[in-house]
Amino acid sequence: MKLAKKTKDEEGVARMLNQMGMIDDNSGNAVSSRQRYLEALEIYKRLNNYKGIIKENIRLGVVENRKGNSATAIPYFLQALKISEQNKDKGGIMESYITLGEVYAFRHDYQRAISYYKKAEAIGTTLPFSSLKLNTCLNFGIAYRETGEMSKAIYYFEKGISQSNYPEMMGLNISLTNGLAQVYAKSGETAKAIELQKGALLKSRKINNSIREFQSLMALAESYETSNSAIALNYLQQALKVAETKKANKQLLEALAHITALYEKSGNYKAAYQSRTRQYSIADSFYYKDISLKISNLQAQYELTKSQARVAQLKFVNNQQSLEQRIMFWIIFGGTALMLVLGFYFFKIRNLNRLMNKANEDLVKSNNVKDKLFSILGHDLKAPLASILNLLVLINRGWLSDQEKALMLGKLELQCNATLETLNLILHWGQMQLKGVMINQSDVSPEKKIKRNVLLLKEMAAQKSITIAQDIEPDLRVFCDADHLDFLVRNILSNAIKFTPVGGVIRIAVKADQDKVICSFKDSGIGIERSRLASIFSVNNVSTMGTNNEKGTSLGLVICKEFINANEGNIWVESVVSEGSEFFFTLKRK
């Protein structure tokens, strides 16, 4: 990059931006990656370099698709296809078809994906051998594997492996080998799958490719998971070490998530808790910079809107002065002309006032969002962190007995958990404010989600001797985003525990009602005042303390409401002060 800038080689600068963007993309930094690709795209447009324009449109589409924004990715790929066809660039046309197929594969629409792969394959027959042909084999294999057409999947994986068994293409060779192994694993031929995966692992280590090594280790862990959990755990630990060495946060979180699940499955809940705690800690440190940047962007957007409103106001003043001059001019020429100008003036002013009122309303909404977020950051995070620091000072200076120290450590753990919950809620809410609710709906069992969260919150309930009763109709399925349902259950249940006194009871019920499923959480807690019920799901709601002085941010129920709306359901609450509350939500029945 330095050399390209020094020699004023703009194309060289664009090429380096592209490479750096791919590094950021593989490291999980989508924001920086997208910015580098956009800068490269502008340079290629200025140079009228159509090949560069095609390349950057494809890279931008890939970034958006990996983030789950397939609707944003498709226009980039279609633009690349259009420019490729205009310039009769067969390589660009082939790559555009491949990436379009990958978008629909990401959506699990494999038949449509295969149709694009076939178009890419047909173009490829007229081109020299390249990595694009190997990518086509890999994508065909994955698509046919997921549709259950195993013989076709094996054909394409083996075809790609045979064509890529040399150093320059070894990375794709390893991916194809792991893909073939998954076919055999899915067909029940686990031994054959493991043999292929071990071969892929040796190849990845031989060429020192940490990404492929990580993928091979994770695949081996999955193959051994049901037959030998100890071997599976060993491979997961190796994958974790690879991710730690390369400081790859995305891979670290993936490995820790699988390790936690394996510990939970084997009943080693202490190790699962430690692994999950580390996972949350890394996620917080990794994504905290991202949310800080988004907060800054929110502030900048507020200032921009304010500035735009000022410009509109100045335009209004200028228009007003111009209109007054016209009026004075037309008075000389007669009353009829004056009435026409006055009529025009009246309608112009009314329209400008309407625009000004709308701008002011947008400013008020933006200001409310900013004030709420900064209030939470300043109050709900500053105070708990100060309290944690005070507890650490007392413990560190040795002023406490062992019994007092144990008591303080218990309080410190509770304070840290509350602060972590606050950070998670701020992250969720901030993301939704900036880019909306992302949704990935599928067939989900509410019973599994509820039982999992009851297990996770069991210790929290046990500390207050709270009984959690469940009345769940068996075999019910809902069509929704699994992560959204997980958040709904966890937030409402933790709130019920928080506001239920010692020795209380929480009743969870799930039942079918025609084409929907109704979930309810009833507690014997302190209840909610009637004056607060109307705003309980609003950002203007004010949080209250739990029965053991537990703290909250008031954002949890706001996020629950947005998740329910995104999944086309309803959420409401019924409550009587001193008798308890009952939260309901509905989802589409599968």
Side-chain angles (χ1 to χ4, degrees), residues 145-158:
R145 183 187 68 209
E146 295 305 315
T147 56
E149 296 178 81
M150 299 305 184
S151 60
K152 290 182 179 180
I154 291 171
Y155 167 80
Y156 278 104
F157 280 130
E158 289 182 342

Side-chain angles (χ1 to χ4, degrees), residues 302-312 363:
Y302 165 73
E303 295 297 337
L304 177 61
T305 308
K306 186 177 179 180
S307 175
Q308 289 173 340
R310 177 62 180 162
V311 170
L363 276 173

Side-chain angles (χ1 to χ4, degrees), residues 306-364:
K306 186 177 179 180
S307 175
Q308 289 173 340
R310 177 62 180 162
V311 170
Q313 187 178 28
L314 290 173
K315 286 182 179 179
F316 167 73
V317 172
N318 290 334
N319 286 336
Q320 188 177 35
Q321 291 174 349
S322 176
L323 285 171
E324 288 174 353
Q325 290 174 357
R326 291 179 185 178
I327 290 169
M328 293 301 296
F329 176 80
W330 286 108
I331 285 175
I332 299 171
F333 294 95
T336 304
L338 176 62
M339 293 300 295
L340 291 173
V341 173
L342 285 173
F344 174 77
Y345 175 83
F346 171 77
F347 288 111
K348 184 75 173 178
I349 293 297
R350 187 171 69 174
N351 186 50
L352 287 171
N353 283 335
R354 180 178 61 80
L355 294 174
M356 283 290 292
N357 289 335
K358 186 177 183 303
N360 286 333
E361 290 174 3
D362 292 341
L363 276 173
V364 169

Side-chain angles (χ1 to χ4, degrees), residues 8-276:
K8 297 182 180 180
D9 178 6
E10 284 194 281
E11 184 176 350
V13 172
R15 290 171 66 186
M16 291 306 100
L17 284 168
N18 178 269
Q19 293 297 315
M20 292 161 74
M22 284 194 281
I23 292 169
D24 287 335
D25 192 12
N26 287 329
S27 301
N29 192 347
V31 175
S32 177
S33 175
R34 183 175 183 275
Q35 185 58 39
R36 293 189 194 277
Y37 291 149
L38 286 171
E39 290 175 20
L41 179 61
E42 287 304 311
I43 293 173
Y44 282 129
K45 284 181 177 178
R46 191 162 60 249
L47 298 174
N48 198 25
N49 185 326
Y50 78 87
K51 284 185 176 291
I53 295 170
I54 293 168
K55 177 170 61 178
E56 298 310 323
N57 272 290
I58 287 173
R59 296 313 309 167
L60 284 163
V62 169
V63 169
E64 294 297 335
N65 193 41
R66 286 180 179 175
K67 287 165 58 181
N69 302 332
S70 56
T72 309
I74 289 173
Y76 281 121
F77 295 143
L78 290 175
Q79 179 68 8
L81 178 61
K82 180 181 177 182
I83 297 170
S84 300
E85 289 175 338
Q86 288 172 348
N87 291 278
K88 297 180 180 178
D89 185 338
K90 291 185 178 181
I93 294 171
M94 183 179 181
E95 190 170 5
S96 299
Y97 280 140
I98 291 171
T99 50
L100 280 165
E102 288 172 351
V103 171
Y104 289 103
F106 187 84
R107 290 180 170 184
H108 303 293
D109 187 354
Y110 293 108
Q111 294 304 326
R112 194 163 184 180
I114 288 169
S115 69
Y116 278 112
Y117 297 154
K118 286 181 178 179
K119 291 180 180 180
E121 187 180 42
I123 294 289
T125 58
T126 65
L127 294 172
F129 180 78
S130 70
S131 61
L132 288 178
K133 293 188 177 183
L134 295 179
N135 276 315
T136 305
C137 289
L138 179 62
N139 289 330
F140 263 127
I142 293 170
Y144 282 127
R145 183 187 68 209
E146 295 305 315
T147 56
E149 296 178 81
M150 299 305 184
S151 60
K152 290 182 179 180
I154 291 171
Y155 167 80
Y156 278 104
F157 280 130
E158 289 182 342
K159 179 182 177 182
I161 291 168
S162 67
Q163 294 178 349
S164 62
N165 196 20
Y166 54 96
E168 292 81 359
M169 295 296 175
M170 193 52 63
L172 276 168
N173 180 276
I174 294 166
S175 295
L176 286 157
T177 302
N178 280 323
L180 180 60
Q182 285 182 301
V183 173
Y184 288 122
K186 203 168 185 179
S187 302
E189 297 181 63
T190 309
K192 202 166 185 178
I194 290 172
E195 181 182 354
L196 287 168
Q197 288 161 351
K198 286 182 176 178
L201 179 60
L202 288 174
K203 290 178 182 178
S204 64
R205 286 174 172 169
K206 186 175 181 180
I207 65 172
N208 198 26
N209 189 319
S210 60
I211 293 176
R212 261 61 179 214
E213 182 182 1
F214 178 87
Q215 291 171 350
S216 300
L217 288 166
M218 294 297 291
L220 279 164
E222 184 178 355
S223 295
Y224 277 109
E225 184 177 350
T226 54
S227 60
N228 194 323
S229 59
I231 295 177
L233 182 60
N234 178 264
Y235 280 119
L236 287 172
Q237 295 289 0
Q238 290 183 54
L240 182 65
K241 188 175 181 180
V242 170
E244 287 172 338
T245 303
K246 296 299 179 181
K247 297 180 181 179
N249 290 308
K250 280 172 60 177
Q251 284 82 7
L252 267 173
L253 295 175
E254 182 182 352
L256 284 169
H258 281 82
I259 289 170
T260 302
L262 193 60
Y263 278 136
E264 287 178 347
K265 188 176 180 181
S266 62
N268 190 347
Y269 296 110
K270 182 178 180 180
Y273 171 78
Q274 291 171 344
S275 179
R276 181 72 74 192

Side-chain angles (χ1 to χ4, degrees), residues 527-576:
I528 305 169
E529 298 89 344
R530 182 178 293 274
S531 60
R532 292 183 60 235
L533 286 175
S535 63
I536 196 74
F537 298 105
S538 166
V539 74
N540 297 318
N541 181 39
V542 178
S543 65
T544 57
M545 304 291 280
T547 56
N548 279 2
N549 293 322
E550 301 99 324
K551 294 182 180 180
T553 65
S554 78
L555 287 179
L557 290 177
V558 176
I559 298 173
C560 286
K561 176 69 173 175
E562 295 199 30
F563 281 172
I564 279 292
N565 289 343
N567 287 278
E568 300 176 16
N570 290 308
I571 187 169
W572 69 96
V573 60
E574 296 174 2
S575 182
V576 177

Side-chain angles (χ1 to χ4, degrees), residues 300-504:
Q301 185 62 39
Y302 165 73
E303 295 297 337
L304 177 61
T305 308
K306 186 177 179 180
S307 175
Q308 289 173 340
R310 177 62 180 162
V311 170
Q313 187 178 28
L314 290 173
K315 286 182 179 179
F316 167 73
V317 172
N318 290 334
N319 286 336
Q320 188 177 35
Q321 291 174 349
S322 176
L323 285 171
E324 288 174 353
Q325 290 174 357
R326 291 179 185 178
I327 290 169
M328 293 301 296
F329 176 80
W330 286 108
I331 285 175
I332 299 171
F333 294 95
T336 304
L338 176 62
M339 293 300 295
L340 291 173
V341 173
L342 285 173
F344 174 77
Y345 175 83
F346 171 77
F347 288 111
K348 184 75 173 178
I349 293 297
R350 187 171 69 174
N351 186 50
L352 287 171
N353 283 335
R354 180 178 61 80
L355 294 174
M356 283 290 292
N357 289 335
K358 186 177 183 303
N360 286 333
E361 290 174 3
D362 292 341
L363 276 173
V364 169
K365 290 178 181 178
S366 178
N367 201 29
N368 286 339
V369 170
K370 182 205 69 169
D371 289 344
K372 180 69 175 178
L373 188 54
F374 287 157
S375 172
I376 291 167
L377 288 171
H379 179 269
D380 291 316
L381 290 183
K382 182 179 178 182
L385 289 174
S387 176
I388 290 170
L389 182 60
N390 289 336
L391 289 173
L392 287 172
V393 168
L394 288 174
I395 294 169
N396 189 45
R397 293 186 179 178
W399 293 345
L400 305 175
S401 65
D402 290 343
Q403 184 177 359
E404 290 173 330
K405 187 182 292 185
L407 179 63
M408 288 297 181
L409 286 172
K411 290 183 178 180
L412 184 62
E413 181 182 2
L414 291 173
Q415 195 70 52
C416 287
N417 285 334
T419 306
L420 178 60
E421 180 184 359
T422 300
L423 279 171
N424 284 334
L425 287 173
I426 291 171
L427 175 62
H428 272 294
W429 187 72
Q431 287 176 332
M432 289 189 297
Q433 294 302 309
L434 292 163
K435 61 183 180 183
V437 179
M438 292 184 291
I439 187 167
N440 182 21
Q441 293 180 317
S442 61
D443 184 4
V444 184
S445 167
E447 182 178 12
K448 288 184 179 179
K449 290 293 181 185
I450 289 171
K451 288 186 175 180
R452 177 178 178 274
N453 280 283
V454 168
L455 184 63
L456 288 174
L457 297 172
K458 185 178 180 181
E459 182 61 29
M460 181 180 173
Q463 290 176 1
K464 297 173 73 173
S465 300
I466 293 172
T467 302
I468 301 177
Q470 302 177 50
D471 181 15
I472 303 172
E473 286 187 24
D475 301 324
L476 283 180
R477 312 289 293 184
V478 294
F479 185 70
C480 69
D481 187 299
D483 291 336
H484 291 181
L485 178 56
D486 198 61
F487 181 91
L488 282 161
V489 173
R490 183 168 63 255
N491 188 266
I492 294 174
L493 181 55
S494 65
N495 280 348
I497 295 171
K498 188 184 299 180
F499 294 105
T500 299
V502 174

Side-chain angles (χ1 to χ4, degrees), residues 263-302:
Y263 278 136
E264 287 178 347
K265 188 176 180 181
S266 62
N268 190 347
Y269 296 110
K270 182 178 180 180
Y273 171 78
Q274 291 171 344
S275 179
R276 181 72 74 192
T277 301
R278 186 182 176 195
Q279 180 187 353
Y280 284 162
S281 175
I282 293 170
D284 286 341
S285 63
F286 181 49
Y287 291 113
Y288 184 77
K289 291 181 181 178
D290 188 45
I291 190 63
S292 297
L293 178 62
K294 290 174 181 176
I295 292 168
S296 298
N297 290 340
L298 187 65
Q299 175 70 17
Q301 185 62 39
Y302 165 73

